[in-house]
Amino acid sequence: MAGASVIRRLSVWGAAVAMSLALTVPSAAFAALASCSPGDYRSGACTPSVGIGSGGVDLGVNITDPGTRPGTGGSGSANGNGAGAGGSAGSGSGSGTGTGAGAPVGPPAPCGLVCQNPYTITAPADAVPGEGRGPITLADLVNFQPVVGVPRMEPNGWAVVGLHTNFWVDAGPQVQEGLLIGLPASVRFTPVAYRWSYGDGTTAVVSEPGSSWAAAGLPEFSPTPTSHVYSGSGQVTATLTVDFSAEYTFGQTDWIAIAGSVPVPSAPMAATVQRADTVLVGGDCSSARAGLGC
């Protein structure tokens, strides 16, 4: 019989012989059962229920889908009666009622690559969802560039052979706003290394920007972590390259480090290196040029 099934139940009353009672279950109950695939049964998404009451059979199914409220599928009941052996043909009737699945409770409308709601928290720390890309790299920082301050030296523009010339630069962490892979983001650059080239073939890599002698409370020509001693006279051009580490955030996450560093060169500094001789004089040569030793 299309859309229906027949369930047989045996009952014994006293010494009577067993009778077969044909019960026709309405198709409304089976419609709910038919809406579940074999995979739904295996995964537990559909849970059928069968109950035998007084003179009837109840069929039902609980359907649970991800993102929806659990709903109860169709259910049906059947009642039948029939005479004993030699009696008239049995008759049966049935009715079915059911309620469908609840209203969807899925996540709200998309809120970009960074979402924070009761259902999901997604931030593109290592990749952009749906684009199949890898981690963000320094090459993605096309809209960001750290800035190096003006390097300085003292004495300003000149140096003395055999004495310390002090170098320093104003540099520190800096945060920039812009678009990173098409999204509003903040990028923080932090100096991690200062690479000096003093113009005479010698170089130095230090971890601090240095400071003036006055700021350090030192007398002139004192050694500092960033000072240099020239061994010969002549014209030199000193340069500085600052290496910056980079981190980024899309506003709802902590700072995320990017592998590698960004080297940023500074403006060059030209200087004249001179020799200084010590001579005993009899007075101030600027006012008495004819004095002894002047």
Side-chain angles (χ1 to χ4, degrees), residues 44-268:
C46 288
T47 305
S49 61
V50 179
I52 299 178
S54 58
V57 178
D58 293 327
L59 296 179
V61 60
N62 292 325
I63 303 174
T64 303
D65 294 326
T68 64
R69 293 188 179 92
T72 301
S75 63
S77 63
N79 294 295
N81 54 69
S88 60
S91 63
S93 63
S95 63
T97 60
T99 58
V105 192
C111 56
L113 297 180
V114 179
C115 298
Q116 186 165 355
N117 52 54
Y119 310 100
T120 60
I121 299 177
T122 304
D126 294 326
V128 179
E131 295 190 10
R133 58 165 292 141
I136 289 176
T137 67
L138 296 176
D140 295 313
L141 302 181
V142 293
N143 297 324
F144 304 88
Q145 178 64 50
V147 178
V148 176
V150 178
R152 304 180 185 278
M153 63 177 294
E154 56 185 357
N156 185 18
W158 59 279
V160 178
V161 173
L163 297 180
H164 282 272
T165 303
N166 188 35
F167 295 87
W168 79 96
V169 66
D170 294 326
Q174 48 194 273
V175 177
Q176 299 179 9
E177 310 291 332
L179 292 180
L180 177 60
I181 58 172
L183 297 173
S186 300
V187 174
R188 180 171 65 186
F189 295 103
T190 304
V192 293
Y194 301 84
R195 293 186 282 125
W196 292 96
S197 177
Y198 297 112
D200 62 349
T202 59
T203 61
V205 180
V206 295
S207 59
E208 56 186 278
S211 63
S212 66
W213 282 316
L218 299 173
E220 292 183 339
F221 303 107
S222 296
T224 69
T226 55
S227 65
H228 177 64
V229 176
Y230 289 99
S231 59
S233 60
Q235 298 293 319
V236 297
T237 299
T239 60
L240 168 66
T241 298
V242 180
D243 293 339
F244 290 88
S245 65
E247 303 166 286
Y248 71 93
T249 178
F250 287 103
Q252 293 184 345
T253 62
D254 294 332
W255 290 103
I256 302 170
I258 302 175
S261 60
V262 181
V264 181
S266 70

Side-chain angles (χ1 to χ4, degrees), residues 20-51:
S20 295
L21 180 60
L23 301 179
T24 301
V25 180
S27 59
F30 283 97
L33 294 175
S35 65
C36 298
S37 67
D40 294 331
Y41 288 110
R42 288 193 297 268
S43 65
C46 288
T47 305
S49 61
V50 179

